[in-house]
Amino acid sequence: MESVSGVVIEVAELVKTYPGITAVDNISFTVRQGEIFGMLGPNGAGKSTTIECLEGVRQPDNGRIRILGLDPKKDGFKLRERIGIQFQSAALPDRLKVWEAIDLFATFYKRPLDCHQLLETMQLTEKRDAYLAKLSGGQKQRLFIALALVNQPELVFLDELTTGLDPQARRAMWSLVQEIRAQGKTIFLTTHFMEEAERLCDRVAIIDHGQIIALDTPQNLINALGSENRVIFATAQPVDAAALEAIPGVHRVEQIRDRVVVYGPKDGLVGRVVNALEANGIAFDSLQAEPPTLEDVFLSLTGKEIRN
Amino acid sequence: MSVFFTLLFGPLLLIMFGFIFGNEPQAIFGGLGHLDISVPSYTAVIIGITGLTTLPITTATRRENGVLRRFAASPLRPLTYFLADMLAPFVVTTVGILLLFLLGITVYHVRFDGSWLNIILAVCFSTLTLFVFGYVLVGLLPTARAVMIVGNVLIIPMNVFSGALIPLEVLPDAVRRVSTFFPLTHVVTLLRGLWFAESWSAHLHEVAILLGVFVVGVVIIVRTFRWE
């Protein structure tokens, strides 16, 4: 198998076991240059193990990995010169200052970025003299991304980038990732946030129990579900589910306190639900139609909801 | 805090024991005073404390916090890391030793017959060997807590029984026989010998043992040291 041009990551039949558990169970995929590729799955699904095998910090039991055409096991030092890594759990001494951390990591590489420029891009200029212990979660995460970018990498690994961040910081992080990609870099990320995968990734591999159970663009994954939409409304009255289930095409009806969810085919669902409600004299409020999301894809593929 | 402690520990020992024992010539020490032989001996105490506790506890804590893991994800070479990691404790230790020497020679007028070059070489060699010993602890033990416990459990009897803190001459024979298994004993013997102008060739035994500790230690580190 020769390295195809434009392919940045090649993984074939990757297996990694720990005592008593197969963390990664025979997975294969490729990532193309310039992609944002996401690995989505619940905690413990094997995402971090996979990403760490790709980074070369963990040795797989079986399988073949090529990153930028290099074998992470044999060419580790050469590879680490060309990739950027942000770990899910890593730390630096609390008594280190922001600029010192960047300055230190810059010395590890042959062609580092200018420290000022990097601080500017990461919006850390004001914090350059702050101790790491004094940074907020979002600032610390930005610093770790800065360290992952200091060597001008061709490929960046981001493991659970936004875990522990508030929604605002999370959104800021997403636009940052898009900016990084706009510079022509390839991004491989793992997440257990559906919305993150859906909004950010060009392609998503859904992983559960160490296996890839689906791999496509978020839209194709959703489309593959069929065209099931849902209509949600609120009502103060008791609702006879049978009356709604009798609507042509409706698959099922869920009631959660005063909210009712009607599942059915996309075309004409809203109109039919509204008609049925009026025909039955049910007063309703804040009615809305929702297209399916990756959450539904995950639910239908695994039969369970992803937990944060 | 730990820098301050390491710098002043040697001088403090000298001042405290100077009060207790003074520096009168004594037959048991071949006509030397207590302080005369204490200066080279306390050197070993400083080296031992840094090598078996300060250095390995710091490293093991960094491993536990994920700092080493972050370094391992860069092209930083392990040897570069170890050399950089040793630099600061090495400088602090040697400066602390220098302060001990200066206090001993200028204030207490202890006898120094050896050559500075030999003493400096021996201090550097001994420090590196004990640092290697410290990294062996990090390689063999899983947590920073375990390193702290084992480091202290080793250093306390070593300091007491190796002649570092209490002259070998006043220790019972049984203790002296056991103490030959401590690397620190050989550091003390080497430093005391060179301090009173004995030659390296008179101490090939100590040099060989310390060199053995160094080489075996490096092999153990290469085999067992993990970055996470």
Side-chain angles (χ1 to χ4, degrees):
Chain A
M1 191 157 83
E2 269 302 298
S3 180
V4 187
S5 79
V7 170
V8 172
I9 299 178
E10 273 179 88
V11 176
E13 291 158 12
L14 179 66
V15 177
K16 176 72 186 178
T17 55
Y18 298 119
I21 178 171
T22 304
V24 176
D25 189 2
N26 195 21
I27 67 174
S28 306
F29 60 90
T30 57
V31 176
R32 291 185 289 266
Q33 207 234 314
E35 258 191 314
I36 300 182
F37 185 96
M39 192 161 256
L40 174 70
N43 291 332
K47 303 188 297 290
S48 285
T49 304
T50 305
I51 202 170
E52 285 170 6
C53 287
L54 302 188
E55 292 161 350
V57 297
R58 209 170 283 286
Q59 297 310 322
D61 300 322
N62 205 355
R64 191 193 126 97
I65 302 175
R66 288 292 175 277
I67 310 291
L68 301 166
L70 298 170
D71 179 348
K73 189 176 180 179
K74 276 195 305 202
D75 300 314
F77 288 104
K78 219 161 140 191
L79 178 62
R80 291 198 282 277
E81 185 71 51
R82 295 171 60 190
I83 61 175
I85 296 179
Q86 172 259 324
F87 283 119
Q88 185 182 349
S89 57
L92 288 171
D94 281 344
R95 294 281 301 279
L96 207 58
K97 287 176 181 171
V98 168
W99 75 267
E100 290 172 336
I102 293 179
D103 206 43
L104 173 67
F105 274 75
T107 63
F108 298 168
Y109 298 96
K110 290 196 185 98
R111 27 175 222 127
L113 274 177
D114 173 56
C115 179
H116 287 286
Q117 188 192 332
L118 196 53
L119 285 168
E120 196 70 43
T121 323
M122 292 297 137
Q123 294 158 32
L124 286 167
T125 308
E126 278 173 33
K127 291 281 165 190
R128 71 183 299 278
D129 292 319
Y131 287 111
L132 263 59
K134 302 283 182 197
L135 297 183
S136 73
Q139 289 163 346
K140 213 171 233 176
Q141 203 64 296
R142 288 211 299 277
L143 173 61
F144 279 113
I145 297 172
L147 299 181
L149 297 177
V150 74
N151 56 326
Q152 312 193 45
E154 296 155 63
L155 166 65
V156 184
F157 290 99
L158 305 171
D159 195 5
E160 296 281 353
L161 177 66
T162 61
T163 300
L165 298 187
D166 59 53
Q168 198 192 343
R170 182 170 301 154
R171 267 155 225 282
M173 210 56 89
W174 291 347
S175 40
L176 191 60
V177 173
Q178 273 155 345
E179 281 167 34
I180 297 169
R181 189 258 295 274
Q183 297 165 15
K185 302 183 195 305
T186 308
I187 292 162
F188 183 100
L189 61 86
T190 70
T191 182
H192 64 267
F193 291 113
M194 293 291 170
E195 201 193 344
E196 184 162 294
E198 201 172 322
R199 291 233 191 155
L200 204 52
C201 298
D202 299 314
R203 288 194 304 145
V204 174
I206 297 180
I207 182 169
D208 193 31
H209 298 302
Q211 294 181 320
I212 292 181
I213 52 178
L215 197 174
D216 212 328
T217 64
Q219 200 52 53
N220 283 348
L221 288 171
I222 292 165
N223 291 345
L225 264 190
S227 53
E228 187 179 69
N229 264 32
R230 60 189 154 198
V231 171
I232 304 167
F233 62 90
T235 177
Q237 290 170 245
V239 173
D240 180 13
L244 295 171
E245 276 162 1
I247 300 170
V250 166
H251 301 144
R252 62 201 160 94
V253 177
E254 278 174 14
Q255 263 179 283
I256 308 139
R257 277 185 237 103
D258 64 337
R259 292 174 67 80
V260 181
V261 187
V262 182
Y263 294 87
K266 190 178 172 187
D267 298 326
L269 183 65
V270 182
R272 287 199 296 277
V273 171
V274 172
N275 285 342
L277 290 172
E278 285 182 341
N280 288 283
I282 300 168
F284 60 90
D285 196 7
S286 55
L287 181 136
Q288 57 185 40
E290 271 186 7
T293 65
L294 270 185
E295 189 90 49
D296 301 297
V297 175
F298 191 82
L299 188 67
S300 85
L301 285 172
T302 66
K304 64 185 181 195
E305 284 183 50
I306 203 162
R307 306 301 302 181
N308 283 354
Chain B
M1 187 60 213
S2 117
V3 170
F4 183 76
F5 179 79
T6 310
L7 284 178
L8 292 189
F9 190 61
L12 281 175
L13 277 179
L14 198 63
I15 292 165
M16 291 188 298
F17 282 100
F19 269 126
I20 302 172
F21 297 113
N23 201 22
E24 297 306 309
Q26 293 182 39
I28 191 172
F29 303 140
L32 292 166
H34 194 280
L35 291 186
D36 291 331
I37 57 168
S38 290
V39 170
S41 308
Y42 294 165
T43 305
V45 177
I46 302 170
I47 294 173
I49 289 177
T50 314
L52 265 64
T53 60
T54 319
L55 177 88
I57 292 168
T58 309
T59 306
T61 307
R62 279 192 198 137
R63 180 177 64 187
E64 220 159 284
N65 293 343
V67 175
L68 297 191
R69 180 182 152 79
R70 187 61 194 82
F71 287 146
S74 78
L76 177 68
R77 300 277 166 174
L79 183 62
T80 315
Y81 172 78
F82 281 114
L83 291 177
D85 190 47
M86 285 191 288
L87 184 64
F90 184 84
V91 169
V92 174
T93 305
T94 45
V95 171
I97 289 167
L98 200 65
L99 289 177
L100 169 72
F101 288 173
L102 289 178
L103 182 76
I105 292 169
T106 59
V107 176
Y108 290 92
H109 305 290
V110 299
R111 242 177 82 186
F112 172 49
D113 306 333
S115 90
W116 281 107
L117 179 66
N118 283 345
I119 285 293
I120 289 167
L121 283 176
V123 165
C124 293
F125 171 56
S126 306
T127 307
L128 275 180
T129 304
L130 268 289
F131 281 9
V132 165
F133 199 110
Y135 286 130
V136 167
L137 295 184
V138 185
L140 294 177
L141 299 167
T143 61
R145 204 180 143 69
V147 170
M148 189 168 82
I149 293 168
V150 174
N152 277 303
V153 162
L154 290 175
I155 193 61
I156 293 167
M158 270 201 219
N159 272 337
V160 175
F161 297 133
S162 68
L165 214 48
I166 300 162
L168 275 173
E169 286 85 345
V170 305
L171 295 172
D173 279 348
V175 169
R176 290 169 69 168
R177 274 195 297 276
V178 173
S179 76
T180 56
F181 292 100
F182 296 148
L184 208 60
T185 310
H186 304 287
V187 173
V188 174
T189 311
L190 176 65
L191 285 168
R192 269 183 61 174
L194 294 172
W195 187 264
F196 296 111
E198 290 169 18
S199 67
W200 283 93
S201 55
H203 291 283
L204 288 180
H205 178 68
E206 284 75 27
V207 172
I209 287 174
L210 292 176
L211 210 54
V213 170
F214 184 91
V215 172
V216 172
V218 169
V219 171
I220 295 176
I221 293 166
V222 169
R223 296 239 169 132
T224 63
F225 197 90
R226 295 286 170 268
W227 298 88
E228 58 182 300

